[in-house]
């Protein structure tokens, strides 16, 4: 049975109560205030819903993750990166990145990044929890991604690309930087061929929860002002 969240409580049901079909649907309702979003990621779930739906909270099993040491960069992509077609920055324009991620895409109907969702993550960015990666060609923003950093974990949310390999270049730069800062896992949430090509793989939800317990409050060397 699906749990409906109460607005006056930040508690989520145990991850084991998530539905098998649709895979990982854990709860509905609540709101997107910063305190609840932070609690959700620490608990092991995230919001994902379409406009017109109630807020839906998910914890899929298995969970798609990438361990920084397992990043796979193809020979052609490595060559492309060495040619320095793009410039990569961190946290230079979070609002522009999330707007681009929310923009319509040729292969999808609508977007799950509603105006309410966008405003909520901009608030998390102001709190120093949500971060962006920008990929530039000259002065043009051609790719990027955003997510949340807590302890030694990064929770990826969405990426976009307006030029060849732009999102891949940004993702590789992020993973290599996170590795240098001592991060141990990147949450990719759901599987995709794009992510698997970069080294992501699936792990059981209980194993993902164990990584949360061990590393959510562990110190890292993160400095997003680089």
């Amino acid at each position: 049975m699906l749990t409906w969240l109460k607005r006056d409580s930040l508690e989520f049901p145990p991850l084991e109560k998530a539905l098998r079909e649709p895979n990982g649907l854990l709860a509905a309702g609540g709101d997107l205030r910063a305190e609840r979003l932070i609690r959700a990621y620490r608990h092991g779930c995230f919001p994902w819903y379409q406009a017109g739906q109630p807020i839906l909270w998910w914890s899929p099993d298995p969970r798609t993750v990438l361990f920084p040491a397992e990043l796979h960069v193809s020979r052609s992509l490595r060559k492309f990166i060495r040619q320095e077609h793009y410039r990569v920055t961190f946290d230079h324009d979070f609002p522009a990145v999330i707007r681009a991620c929310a923009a319509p895409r040729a292969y999808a109907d609508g977007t799950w990044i509603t105006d309410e969702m966008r405003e909520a993550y901009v608030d998390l960015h102001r709190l120093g929890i949500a971060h962006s990666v920008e990929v530039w060609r000259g002065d043009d923003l051609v790719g990027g991604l955003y997510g949340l950093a807590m302890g030694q974990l990064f929770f990826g949310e969405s990426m976009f690309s307006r030029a060849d390999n732009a999102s891949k270049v940004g993702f590789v730069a992020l993973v290599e930087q996170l590795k240098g800062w001592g991060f141990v896992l990147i949450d990719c949430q759901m599987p995709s061929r794009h992510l698997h090509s970069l080294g992501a793989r699936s792990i059981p939800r209980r194993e993902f929860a164990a990584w949360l317990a061990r590393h959510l409050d562990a110190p890292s060397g993160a400095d997003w002002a680089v």
Side-chain angles (χ1 to χ4, degrees):
M1 181 180 296
L2 184 64
T3 299
W4 283 85
L5 303 181
K6 299 177 180 179
R7 284 188 172 265
D8 60 353
S9 172
L10 298 177
E11 294 302 315
F12 286 89
L15 299 183
E16 295 75 19
K17 289 197 172 185
L19 302 180
R20 292 187 178 183
E21 184 57 44
N23 177 21
L25 181 56
L26 178 67
D31 52 40
L32 295 176
R33 55 184 152 141
E35 295 89 349
R36 190 184 301 278
L37 283 171
I38 294 168
R39 179 71 66 91
Y41 285 92
R42 292 184 65 86
H43 186 64
C45 63
F46 56 88
W48 183 36
Y49 65 102
Q50 301 287 335
Q53 293 180 333
I55 301 171
L56 302 177
W57 303 88
W58 301 79
S59 182
D61 189 13
R63 187 82 163 220
T64 302
V65 303
L66 185 140
F67 296 97
E70 296 179 3
L71 174 67
H72 173 72
V73 183
S74 67
R75 185 177 301 176
S76 59
L77 180 57
R78 186 71 70 184
K79 179 180 178 181
F80 186 89
I81 292 172
R82 286 199 304 268
Q83 291 171 344
E84 298 184 346
H85 296 276
Y86 308 132
R87 174 174 55 91
V88 179
T89 59
F90 297 133
D91 278 357
H92 276 220
D93 200 339
F94 186 95
V97 169
I98 196 169
R99 281 197 305 270
C101 287
R105 309 193 186 200
Y107 55 83
D109 295 328
T111 176
W112 59 269
I113 306 176
T114 63
D115 290 345
E116 181 185 24
M117 181 84 79
R118 191 169 66 246
E119 292 170 5
Y121 283 83
V122 169
D123 285 344
L124 288 179
H125 175 63
R126 294 192 187 106
L127 292 173
I129 296 170
H131 302 279
S132 61
V133 179
E134 301 88 15
V135 181
W136 307 88
R137 183 169 58 193
D139 294 328
D140 296 326
L141 183 65
V142 295
L145 60 107
Y146 73 95
L148 283 65
M150 298 184 190
Q152 297 171 344
L153 307 172
F154 187 86
F155 301 84
E157 274 298 314
S158 185
M159 61 177 64
F160 78 98
S161 185
R162 295 170 176 161
D164 290 345
N165 290 320
S167 63
K168 287 185 178 180
V169 169
F171 186 77
V172 169
L174 172 66
V175 176
E176 292 180 341
Q177 185 64 75
L178 292 176
K179 183 178 179 181
W181 286 338
F183 280 62
V184 297
L185 181 145
I186 298 166
D187 174 28
C188 302
Q189 300 179 349
M190 306 293 286
S192 74
R193 187 165 56 183
H194 176 71
L195 290 168
H196 282 297
S197 72
L198 291 164
R201 59 183 171 94
S202 296
I203 62 174
R205 181 170 55 213
R206 65 180 181 277
E207 183 179 336
F208 177 73
W211 281 93
L212 293 180
R214 290 196 301 268
H215 297 283
L216 264 173
D217 296 312
S220 77
D223 179 6
W224 293 92
V226 295

PDB file of all heavy atoms in Angstrom, residues 28-49:
ATOM      1  N   ALA A  28       3.847   9.237  -1.635  1.00  0.00           N
ATOM      2  CA  ALA A  28       3.296  10.336  -2.423  1.00  0.00           C
ATOM      3  C   ALA A  28       2.923  11.470  -1.479  1.00  0.00           C
ATOM      4  O   ALA A  28       2.718  11.263  -0.282  1.00  0.00           O
ATOM      5  CB  ALA A  28       2.076   9.875  -3.218  1.00  0.00           C
ATOM      6  N   GLY A  29       2.855  12.677  -2.058  1.00  0.00           N
ATOM      7  CA  GLY A  29       2.435  13.821  -1.275  1.00  0.00           C
ATOM      8  C   GLY A  29       3.580  14.558  -0.624  1.00  0.00           C
ATOM      9  O   GLY A  29       4.730  14.459  -1.031  1.00  0.00           O
ATOM     10  N   GLY A  30       3.242  15.319   0.405  1.00  0.00           N
ATOM     11  CA  GLY A  30       4.268  16.129   1.050  1.00  0.00           C
ATOM     12  C   GLY A  30       4.526  17.400   0.268  1.00  0.00           C
ATOM     13  O   GLY A  30       3.648  17.941  -0.394  1.00  0.00           O
ATOM     14  N   ASP A  31       5.748  17.875   0.317  1.00  0.00           N
ATOM     15  CA  ASP A  31       6.118  19.099  -0.375  1.00  0.00           C
ATOM     16  C   ASP A  31       7.600  19.015  -0.753  1.00  0.00           C
ATOM     17  O   ASP A  31       8.246  18.008  -0.510  1.00  0.00           O
ATOM     18  CB  ASP A  31       5.854  20.330   0.490  1.00  0.00           C
ATOM     19  CG  ASP A  31       6.489  20.219   1.879  1.00  0.00           C
ATOM     20  OD1 ASP A  31       7.639  19.717   1.967  1.00  0.00           O
ATOM     21  OD2 ASP A  31       5.849  20.614   2.870  1.00  0.00           O
ATOM     22  N   LEU A  32       8.098  20.091  -1.367  1.00  0.00           N
ATOM     23  CA  LEU A  32       9.487  20.115  -1.824  1.00  0.00           C
ATOM     24  C   LEU A  32      10.335  21.107  -1.038  1.00  0.00           C
ATOM     25  O   LEU A  32      11.342  21.594  -1.545  1.00  0.00           O
ATOM     26  CB  LEU A  32       9.549  20.450  -3.324  1.00  0.00           C
ATOM     27  CG  LEU A  32       8.934  19.423  -4.263  1.00  0.00           C
ATOM     28  CD1 LEU A  32       8.992  19.930  -5.700  1.00  0.00           C
ATOM     29  CD2 LEU A  32       9.643  18.077  -4.157  1.00  0.00           C
ATOM     30  N   ARG A  33       9.960  21.389   0.192  1.00  0.00           N
ATOM     31  CA  ARG A  33      10.797  22.294   0.985  1.00  0.00           C
ATOM     32  C   ARG A  33      12.154  21.641   1.226  1.00  0.00           C
ATOM     33  O   ARG A  33      12.300  20.414   1.198  1.00  0.00           O
ATOM     34  CB  ARG A  33      10.129  22.657   2.300  1.00  0.00           C
ATOM     35  CG  ARG A  33       9.721  21.498   3.155  1.00  0.00           C
ATOM     36  CD  ARG A  33       8.972  21.967   4.399  1.00  0.00           C
ATOM     37  NE  ARG A  33       8.053  20.965   4.869  1.00  0.00           N
ATOM     38  CZ  ARG A  33       7.845  20.697   6.156  1.00  0.00           C
ATOM     39  NH1 ARG A  33       8.504  21.366   7.082  1.00  0.00           N
ATOM     40  NH2 ARG A  33       6.983  19.782   6.514  1.00  0.00           N
ATOM     41  N   ALA A  34      13.142  22.473   1.459  1.00  0.00           N
ATOM     42  CA  ALA A  34      14.518  21.993   1.541  1.00  0.00           C
ATOM     43  C   ALA A  34      14.688  20.901   2.592  1.00  0.00           C
ATOM     44  O   ALA A  34      15.374  19.898   2.357  1.00  0.00           O
ATOM     45  CB  ALA A  34      15.458  23.164   1.836  1.00  0.00           C
ATOM     46  N   GLU A  35      14.064  21.070   3.749  1.00  0.00           N
ATOM     47  CA  GLU A  35      14.226  20.087   4.822  1.00  0.00           C
ATOM     48  C   GLU A  35      13.746  18.709   4.391  1.00  0.00           C
ATOM     49  O   GLU A  35      14.367  17.694   4.707  1.00  0.00           O
ATOM     50  CB  GLU A  35      13.448  20.533   6.073  1.00  0.00           C
ATOM     51  CG  GLU A  35      13.965  21.805   6.702  1.00  0.00           C
ATOM     52  CD  GLU A  35      13.330  23.054   6.122  1.00  0.00           C
ATOM     53  OE1 GLU A  35      12.639  22.952   5.076  1.00  0.00           O
ATOM     54  OE2 GLU A  35      13.529  24.127   6.709  1.00  0.00           O
ATOM     55  N   ARG A  36      12.635  18.646   3.659  1.00  0.00           N
ATOM     56  CA  ARG A  36      12.123  17.354   3.225  1.00  0.00           C
ATOM     57  C   ARG A  36      13.006  16.747   2.130  1.00  0.00           C
ATOM     58  O   ARG A  36      13.255  15.542   2.120  1.00  0.00           O
ATOM     59  CB  ARG A  36      10.681  17.474   2.722  1.00  0.00           C
ATOM     60  CG  ARG A  36      10.046  16.094   2.492  1.00  0.00           C
ATOM     61  CD  ARG A  36       8.653  16.197   1.903  1.00  0.00           C
ATOM     62  NE  ARG A  36       7.717  16.938   2.708  1.00  0.00           N
ATOM     63  CZ  ARG A  36       7.056  16.444   3.752  1.00  0.00           C
ATOM     64  NH1 ARG A  36       7.254  15.186   4.123  1.00  0.00           N
ATOM     65  NH2 ARG A  36       6.201  17.209   4.420  1.00  0.00           N
ATOM     66  N   LEU A  37      13.452  17.572   1.201  1.00  0.00           N
ATOM     67  CA  LEU A  37      14.329  17.054   0.151  1.00  0.00           C
ATOM     68  C   LEU A  37      15.611  16.476   0.743  1.00  0.00           C
ATOM     69  O   LEU A  37      16.063  15.389   0.353  1.00  0.00           O
ATOM     70  CB  LEU A  37      14.655  18.149  -0.854  1.00  0.00           C
ATOM     71  CG  LEU A  37      13.549  18.489  -1.856  1.00  0.00           C
ATOM     72  CD1 LEU A  37      13.916  19.743  -2.642  1.00  0.00           C
ATOM     73  CD2 LEU A  37      13.290  17.321  -2.806  1.00  0.00           C
ATOM     74  N   ILE A  38      16.218  17.187   1.667  1.00  0.00           N
ATOM     75  CA  ILE A  38      17.435  16.696   2.306  1.00  0.00           C
ATOM     76  C   ILE A  38      17.155  15.380   3.025  1.00  0.00           C
ATOM     77  O   ILE A  38      17.917  14.410   2.908  1.00  0.00           O
ATOM     78  CB  ILE A  38      18.004  17.749   3.270  1.00  0.00           C
ATOM     79  CG1 ILE A  38      18.484  18.971   2.490  1.00  0.00           C
ATOM     80  CG2 ILE A  38      19.137  17.164   4.110  1.00  0.00           C
ATOM     81  CD1 ILE A  38      18.800  20.169   3.354  1.00  0.00           C
ATOM     82  N   ARG A  39      16.038  15.316   3.750  1.00  0.00           N
ATOM     83  CA  ARG A  39      15.678  14.086   4.451  1.00  0.00           C
ATOM     84  C   ARG A  39      15.467  12.942   3.456  1.00  0.00           C
ATOM     85  O   ARG A  39      15.848  11.799   3.718  1.00  0.00           O
ATOM     86  CB  ARG A  39      14.411  14.310   5.269  1.00  0.00           C
ATOM     87  CG  ARG A  39      13.919  13.088   6.031  1.00  0.00           C
ATOM     88  CD  ARG A  39      14.835  12.749   7.194  1.00  0.00           C
ATOM     89  NE  ARG A  39      14.809  13.788   8.210  1.00  0.00           N
ATOM     90  CZ  ARG A  39      13.965  13.795   9.245  1.00  0.00           C
ATOM     91  NH1 ARG A  39      13.088  12.818   9.401  1.00  0.00           N
ATOM     92  NH2 ARG A  39      14.016  14.773  10.128  1.00  0.00           N
ATOM     93  N   ALA A  40      14.859  13.246   2.312  1.00  0.00           N
ATOM     94  CA  ALA A  40      14.593  12.216   1.313  1.00  0.00           C
ATOM     95  C   ALA A  40      15.884  11.588   0.798  1.00  0.00           C
ATOM     96  O   ALA A  40      16.019  10.350   0.768  1.00  0.00           O
ATOM     97  CB  ALA A  40      13.801  12.815   0.143  1.00  0.00           C
ATOM     98  N   TYR A  41      16.835  12.413   0.392  1.00  0.00           N
ATOM     99  CA  TYR A  41      18.088  11.868  -0.138  1.00  0.00           C
ATOM    100  C   TYR A  41      18.855  11.113   0.938  1.00  0.00           C
ATOM    101  O   TYR A  41      19.451  10.061   0.650  1.00  0.00           O
ATOM    102  CB  TYR A  41      18.934  12.983  -0.740  1.00  0.00           C
ATOM    103  CG  TYR A  41      18.411  13.446  -2.078  1.00  0.00           C
ATOM    104  CD1 TYR A  41      17.511  14.508  -2.166  1.00  0.00           C
ATOM    105  CD2 TYR A  41      18.787  12.808  -3.259  1.00  0.00           C
ATOM    106  CE1 TYR A  41      17.010  14.919  -3.380  1.00  0.00           C
ATOM    107  CE2 TYR A  41      18.292  13.215  -4.482  1.00  0.00           C
ATOM    108  CZ  TYR A  41      17.400  14.275  -4.538  1.00  0.00           C
ATOM    109  OH  TYR A  41      16.887  14.674  -5.750  1.00  0.00           O
ATOM    110  N   ARG A  42      18.834  11.606   2.145  1.00  0.00           N
ATOM    111  CA  ARG A  42      19.505  10.898   3.233  1.00  0.00           C
ATOM    112  C   ARG A  42      18.824   9.561   3.518  1.00  0.00           C
ATOM    113  O   ARG A  42      19.472   8.597   3.932  1.00  0.00           O
ATOM    114  CB  ARG A  42      19.519  11.762   4.504  1.00  0.00           C
ATOM    115  CG  ARG A  42      20.399  13.003   4.406  1.00  0.00           C
ATOM    116  CD  ARG A  42      20.432  13.763   5.730  1.00  0.00           C
ATOM    117  NE  ARG A  42      21.062  12.954   6.774  1.00  0.00           N
ATOM    118  CZ  ARG A  42      22.365  12.900   6.996  1.00  0.00           C
ATOM    119  NH1 ARG A  42      23.213  13.601   6.252  1.00  0.00           N
ATOM    120  NH2 ARG A  42      22.847  12.149   7.964  1.00  0.00           N
ATOM    121  N   HIS A  43      17.539   9.488   3.275  1.00  0.00           N
ATOM    122  CA  HIS A  43      16.778   8.259   3.500  1.00  0.00           C
ATOM    123  C   HIS A  43      16.979   7.252   2.373  1.00  0.00           C
ATOM    124  O   HIS A  43      16.818   6.047   2.592  1.00  0.00           O
ATOM    125  CB  HIS A  43      15.299   8.611   3.642  1.00  0.00           C
ATOM    126  CG  HIS A  43      14.429   7.464   4.024  1.00  0.00           C
ATOM    127  ND1 HIS A  43      14.552   6.803   5.231  1.00  0.00           N
ATOM    128  CD2 HIS A  43      13.413   6.847   3.353  1.00  0.00           C
ATOM    129  CE1 HIS A  43      13.650   5.829   5.283  1.00  0.00           C
ATOM    130  NE2 HIS A  43      12.950   5.834   4.162  1.00  0.00           N
ATOM    131  N   GLY A  44      17.305   7.763   1.166  1.00  0.00           N
ATOM    132  CA  GLY A  44      17.512   6.872   0.032  1.00  0.00           C
ATOM    133  C   GLY A  44      16.441   6.959  -1.033  1.00  0.00           C
ATOM    134  O   GLY A  44      16.304   6.061  -1.865  1.00  0.00           O
ATOM    135  N   CYS A  45      15.679   8.066  -1.044  1.00  0.00           N
ATOM    136  CA  CYS A  45      14.651   8.236  -2.075  1.00  0.00           C
ATOM    137  C   CYS A  45      14.746   9.630  -2.690  1.00  0.00           C
ATOM    138  O   CYS A  45      15.471  10.487  -2.195  1.00  0.00           O
ATOM    139  CB  CYS A  45      13.257   7.991  -1.505  1.00  0.00           C
ATOM    140  SG  CYS A  45      12.732   9.136  -0.201  1.00  0.00           S
ATOM    141  N   PHE A  46      14.023   9.831  -3.766  1.00  0.00           N
ATOM    142  CA  PHE A  46      14.076  11.107  -4.488  1.00  0.00           C
ATOM    143  C   PHE A  46      12.712  11.374  -5.133  1.00  0.00           C
ATOM    144  O   PHE A  46      11.945  10.447  -5.411  1.00  0.00           O
ATOM    145  CB  PHE A  46      15.174  11.084  -5.557  1.00  0.00           C
ATOM    146  CG  PHE A  46      15.034   9.941  -6.543  1.00  0.00           C
ATOM    147  CD1 PHE A  46      14.266  10.073  -7.699  1.00  0.00           C
ATOM    148  CD2 PHE A  46      15.662   8.720  -6.309  1.00  0.00           C
ATOM    149  CE1 PHE A  46      14.137   9.023  -8.604  1.00  0.00           C
ATOM    150  CE2 PHE A  46      15.540   7.661  -7.206  1.00  0.00           C
ATOM    151  CZ  PHE A  46      14.771   7.817  -8.351  1.00  0.00           C
ATOM    152  N   PRO A  47      12.391  12.652  -5.408  1.00  0.00           N
ATOM    153  CA  PRO A  47      11.115  12.983  -6.051  1.00  0.00           C
ATOM    154  C   PRO A  47      11.213  12.872  -7.570  1.00  0.00           C
ATOM    155  O   PRO A  47      12.223  13.240  -8.173  1.00  0.00           O
ATOM    156  CB  PRO A  47      10.886  14.435  -5.621  1.00  0.00           C
ATOM    157  CG  PRO A  47      12.274  14.998  -5.505  1.00  0.00           C
ATOM    158  CD  PRO A  47      13.140  13.861  -5.017  1.00  0.00           C
ATOM    159  N   TRP A  48      10.138  12.375  -8.157  1.00  0.00           N
ATOM    160  CA  TRP A  48      10.081  12.255  -9.627  1.00  0.00           C
ATOM    161  C   TRP A  48       8.611  12.147 -10.012  1.00  0.00           C
ATOM    162  O   TRP A  48       7.962  11.152  -9.669  1.00  0.00           O
ATOM    163  CB  TRP A  48      10.877  11.037 -10.082  1.00  0.00           C
ATOM    164  CG  TRP A  48      10.948  10.842 -11.568  1.00  0.00           C
ATOM    165  CD1 TRP A  48      11.031  11.803 -12.526  1.00  0.00           C
ATOM    166  CD2 TRP A  48      10.949   9.585 -12.256  1.00  0.00           C
ATOM    167  NE1 TRP A  48      11.099  11.239 -13.774  1.00  0.00           N
ATOM    168  CE2 TRP A  48      11.049   9.877 -13.637  1.00  0.00           C
ATOM    169  CE3 TRP A  48      10.890   8.262 -11.840  1.00  0.00           C
ATOM    170  CZ2 TRP A  48      11.068   8.881 -14.610  1.00  0.00           C
ATOM    171  CZ3 TRP A  48      10.917   7.264 -12.808  1.00  0.00           C
ATOM    172  CH2 TRP A  48      11.009   7.566 -14.177  1.00  0.00           C
ATOM    173  N   TYR A  49       8.093  13.152 -10.684  1.00  0.00           N
ATOM    174  CA  TYR A  49       6.683  13.168 -11.030  1.00  0.00           C
ATOM    175  C   TYR A  49       6.459  14.137 -12.181  1.00  0.00           C
ATOM    176  O   TYR A  49       7.329  14.945 -12.505  1.00  0.00           O
ATOM    177  CB  TYR A  49       5.834  13.575  -9.819  1.00  0.00           C
ATOM    178  CG  TYR A  49       6.079  15.002  -9.355  1.00  0.00           C
ATOM    179  CD1 TYR A  49       5.191  16.028  -9.664  1.00  0.00           C
ATOM    180  CD2 TYR A  49       7.212  15.334  -8.599  1.00  0.00           C
ATOM    181  CE1 TYR A  49       5.422  17.332  -9.242  1.00  0.00           C
ATOM    182  CE2 TYR A  49       7.442  16.629  -8.177  1.00  0.00           C
ATOM    183  CZ  TYR A  49       6.546  17.623  -8.502  1.00  0.00           C
ATOM    184  OH  TYR A  49       6.779  18.912  -8.099  1.00  0.00           O
TER     185      TYR A  49
END
